[in-house]
Amino acid sequence: MEPAKIIEHAGGVIGVSWLLIALPLLGAAVLLLGGRRTDRFGHLLGVATAVASFVVGVLVFLQLLGFDPAERRRVVPLYDFIPGLVDPMGLLIDPLSISFVLLITGVGSLIHIYSIGYMAHDPNRRRFFAYLNLFVAAMLLLVLADNYIGLYVGWEGVGLASYLLIGFWQHKPSAATAAKKAFIVNRVGDFGLAIAIFIIFTTFNTVSFAGVMTSGADASQGSLTAIGLLLLLGACGKSAQLPLQSWLLDAMEGPTPVSALIHAATMVTAGVYLVTRSGAMFFPEGSTAAIAVTIVGVATLLAGAIIGTAKDDIKKALAGSTMSQIGYMMLAAGIGPAGYAFAIAHLITHGFFKADMFLGAGSVMHAMNDEVDMRKYGGLRKVMPITFATFMIGYLAIIGFPLLSGYFTKDGIIESAMEHNATLGWLAVLGAGITGFYMSRLVFMTFFGKKRWEADAHPHESPAVMTWPLIILSAGSIVLGGYLILGNRFMTFLAPAVGLPEHLPSFHPFSVAGLVTLALVAAGAALAWFKYGAGEVPVTAPRGSFLTTFARRDLYGDAINEALFMRPGQWLTRLAVFFDNRGIDGLVNGLAAGIGGTSGRLRRVQTGFVRSYALSIFVGAAILVGAWFVVGNL
């Protein structure tokens, strides 16, 4: 089944769907331009605009459900953008975009509410909420734009907002460095996306999704491959996939709500959205670009899992997990229509259980004087019962515990991958087993075992404004997966936007791959228990093997980037400076010195004595007369 046709629509709530973006953008403008005068109510305004956007999103979703499935792709015209050259700018309301809208505004609103308590004592809290609002507005533009230029504007807005949020505590050199690193690495991916848009316009004479998708079959395979690979490069930057993943773990330098917002519901999901929305560029099945997406996905899910096994920083361990889970989504997106629903369903459920765990980690840090080293935790389940219970639900969901969200969505991806390519499927199974180990390690080091707190630590449960979002997110981590996957409910819902595969897949809880996955997850959890739960956790990290060091240093990603890009870049810069100083400047300065020296010598002829001038005239006349005689005799 092909995607449904797009219908121009401007009635009802869908007609004012621009409010989804305008409300948080207005909040950001008021808080940034209002300055210190808005300090007293800035956090409340930030929350109110995010919640209002969520309410509008729910109303738009309900109106969309009221249409026949074949009519659930509606475009809302906004304004003409470069008339006669580029298609009018508009918002595309369809099952794919509204799914992202509900996730971004829903989970984003809970993160806003949580931030009231987490940032209560920060003197710049108002500015923090302004940046949160700006981030949400940019992400909404990214997923709602009906063309690639609008998507690119939102894409760059997300990059700007992430830079501001990661480096929010700019007084810390590590935070400022992390923000710059995220910004620069993302520019590499953004460059790929920009070139892809240029080629799209040249190839299809349009940048609208509707025009590109209907003309995709008419383009040459070479053009589609080039566009697909460049889009993948853009997706790797935003979604922290290999080889552009190095910024993700350093991004933990920002406040914990930023980590939850970037790693759960917004920025890192943008690449998955881009690949899914651009399906015509990656298929028919078997294209080079589609194969590249699956390879990048499976390589990243394994790399992120390996990194997570050796991190003692609770947020960095969760960041490695995010990298791995996005890899699962990219793998499913690379499979095509048979994997789209599982990719987006896992994206949604991951938004809930990963936000739950990141905010839970923030709750632990809030109670432990901002300590992030899990070796200095232990036994926190007794003093933080709500944080512990909600975190455990997120943990069980991500490892694929039966009947929780991750069990349905991640196992659905594994089954789809197994049917697509057995090698990819078994590698995804291996990644699930490693996930069972590193996530269990995190839980046991934090909440179980002996107390390893510093003397000045007095852990306590977080206030209600921080725990209630955890409870809501954990509830979603329980029920969402089964609701979306069973009966192909979500696949059928997405069909008007992404189409349906020829054969509808079904979830098989007792498949061979499913049983092997559960066994490996259980084995990983048991190994983590014997090593970190029942065993003694050293307060200082012991010297590990090469593999441990390999994981601790993020698979030497920074070292590789330094060797391949940073050092050659420095050499190129030094060569350019040398050429500029000795070459261009040398030529200019040498010419100036030559003219100056010549004029200095000529000045000596001007003595000011009449006899000298008379002698010069006499000598000149003699030369002329002599020359005349010589020429005349020839």
Side-chain angles (χ1 to χ4, degrees):
M1 173 182 169
E2 294 295 324
K5 293 183 178 179
I6 295 178
I7 303 171
E8 185 171 314
H9 183 93
V13 183
I14 292 181
V16 293
S17 54
W18 51 268
L19 287 172
L20 289 164
I21 303 169
L23 288 168
L25 190 61
L26 175 64
V30 171
L31 296 179
L32 290 174
L33 300 177
R36 290 295 180 184
R37 290 170 292 183
T38 62
D39 278 354
R40 289 182 299 172
F41 61 86
H43 56 292
L44 299 178
L45 178 61
V47 170
T49 54
V51 172
S53 184
F54 173 66
V55 172
V56 174
V58 171
L59 295 176
V60 170
F61 170 67
L62 293 176
Q63 184 178 357
L64 193 67
L65 285 181
F67 298 125
D68 183 87
E71 299 178 349
R72 288 180 182 170
R73 300 196 78 192
R74 304 278 172 147
V75 64
V76 180
L78 294 180
Y79 57 88
D80 288 337
F81 182 71
I82 314 181
L85 181 63
V86 180
D87 305 282
M89 194 68 67
L91 302 181
L92 177 58
I93 308 296
D94 68 359
L96 180 61
S97 63
I98 199 62
S99 297
F100 274 83
V101 165
L102 293 177
L103 176 67
I104 295 165
T105 57
V107 175
S109 293
L110 293 174
I111 293 172
H112 275 70
I113 294 170
Y114 175 96
S115 300
I116 293 176
Y118 191 87
M119 302 293 290
H121 303 294
D122 194 295
N124 294 311
R125 181 170 65 168
R126 178 261 314 165
R127 182 162 54 88
F128 179 77
F129 276 89
Y131 293 163
L132 287 184
N133 274 188
L134 180 63
F135 195 109
V136 169
M139 191 67 197
L140 288 170
L141 174 59
L142 190 158
V143 301
L144 284 171
D146 71 337
N147 61 76
Y148 282 100
I149 290 182
L151 179 147
Y152 189 78
V153 174
W155 193 274
E156 292 302 314
V158 167
L160 169 63
S162 65
Y163 170 78
L164 296 172
L165 286 168
I166 294 170
F168 181 75
W169 287 326
Q170 54 194 342
H171 59 276
K172 297 166 54 179
S174 57
T177 301
K180 289 186 289 185
K181 183 176 182 180
F183 193 81
I184 292 171
V185 173
N186 270 272
R187 295 291 72 71
V188 177
D190 295 354
F191 179 76
L193 177 57
I195 299 299
I197 295 173
F198 293 149
I199 300 177
I200 287 171
F201 182 75
T202 303
T203 303
F204 303 107
N205 199 32
T206 180
V207 291
S208 71
F209 296 136
V212 170
M213 297 309 124
T214 55
S215 305
D218 300 329
S220 67
Q221 189 59 46
S223 296
L224 291 178
T225 298
I227 294 170
L229 292 176
L230 288 167
L231 291 175
L232 175 60
L233 179 62
C236 287
K238 277 290 181 288
S239 291
Q241 301 292 282
L242 294 174
L244 300 179
Q245 82 292 350
S246 61
W247 66 271
L248 190 69
L249 277 77
D250 290 349
M252 297 301 98
E253 291 294 336
T256 301
V258 174
S259 304
L261 191 65
I262 290 177
H263 291 73
T266 53
M267 183 171 175
V268 293
T269 65
V272 181
Y273 172 80
L274 178 64
V275 172
T276 305
R277 179 63 82 187
S278 306
M281 307 300 176
F282 297 94
F283 294 94
E285 187 175 349
S287 69
T288 302
I291 294 172
V293 173
T294 58
I295 292 174
V296 166
V298 79
T300 306
L301 74 87
L302 290 172
I306 293 170
I307 289 173
T309 62
K311 292 297 182 183
D312 295 317
D313 183 317
I314 187 171
K315 290 207 297 181
K316 289 190 175 183
L318 289 173
S321 169
T322 294
M323 178 179 160
S324 179
Q325 297 305 305
I326 300 294
Y328 275 101
M329 301 171 206
M330 292 293 286
L331 169 62
I335 293 172
Y340 286 158
F342 292 116
I344 305 303
H346 192 56
L347 185 151
I348 292 172
T349 57
H350 175 267
F352 277 80
F353 57 67
K354 184 54 64 67
D356 174 26
M357 288 187 288
F358 262 117
L359 297 184
S363 180
V364 170
M365 293 167 56
H366 184 266
M368 297 291 291
N369 299 329
D370 291 328
E371 179 62 65
V372 297
D373 192 339
M374 295 184 293
R375 293 169 298 178
K376 299 178 181 179
Y377 292 164
L380 290 177
R381 69 185 188 280
K382 296 180 180 178
V383 295
M384 305 184 70
I386 299 177
T387 299
F388 168 67
T390 54
F391 198 100
M392 282 298 294
I393 292 173
Y395 154 71
L396 293 173
I398 195 174
I399 67 172
F401 190 82
L403 303 183
L404 270 69
S405 288
Y407 173 69
F408 296 99
T409 57
K410 187 163 69 175
D411 280 29
I413 291 175
I414 292 173
E415 286 188 25
S416 297
M418 200 70 71
E419 293 178 6
H420 179 74
N421 182 294
T423 301
L424 295 177
W426 286 116
L427 289 174
V429 169
L430 175 62
I434 301 174
T435 301
F437 171 77
Y438 74 77
M439 286 305 305
S440 299
R441 172 182 179 269
L442 185 153
V443 167
F444 296 148
M445 289 180 69
T446 301
F447 295 103
F448 291 85
K450 298 179 181 178
K451 302 175 183 178
R452 302 183 298 276
W453 313 333
E454 298 285 352
D456 59 344
H458 303 284
H460 55 278
E461 189 57 271
S462 298
V465 72
M466 294 172 64
T467 55
W468 270 107
L470 297 178
I471 294 171
I472 296 172
L473 290 168
S474 62
S477 303
I478 296 173
V479 302
L480 268 178
Y483 177 78
L484 295 175
I485 297 303
L486 294 180
N488 289 316
R489 182 180 287 108
F490 192 59
M491 183 171 290
T492 304
F493 173 71
L494 281 181
V498 299
L500 279 178
E502 294 181 4
H503 304 288
L504 289 180
S506 56
F507 184 77
H508 301 289
F510 300 111
S511 66
V512 174
L515 294 174
V516 173
T517 300
L518 286 177
L520 284 179
V521 168
L527 177 61
W529 170 256
F530 285 115
K531 191 167 184 179
Y532 299 99
E536 191 72 25
V537 176
V539 178
T540 57
R543 180 167 182 163
S545 63
F546 168 77
L547 290 178
T548 302
T549 304
F550 185 57
R552 283 178 182 161
R553 295 188 179 181
D554 305 339
L555 313 188
Y556 294 110
D558 286 338
I560 293 173
N561 287 337
E562 181 175 335
L564 293 180
F565 302 108
M566 195 266 281
R567 294 301 179 194
Q570 286 182 330
W571 297 333
L572 182 61
T573 301
R574 290 169 183 164
L575 178 63
V577 170
F578 176 82
F579 177 72
D580 182 65
N581 289 340
R582 300 296 179 87
I584 297 176
D585 287 353
L587 177 63
V588 172
N589 294 336
L591 181 61
I595 294 174
T598 302
S599 64
R601 290 178 175 82
L602 288 175
R603 279 197 302 270
R604 297 175 184 174
V605 178
Q606 306 296 325
T607 62
F609 297 113
V610 175
R611 62 178 180 271
S612 297
Y613 299 152
L615 179 62
S616 298
I617 294 171
F618 175 76
V619 171
I623 293 173
L624 288 174
V625 171
W628 181 75
F629 276 113
V630 171
V631 174
N633 291 329
L634 291 178

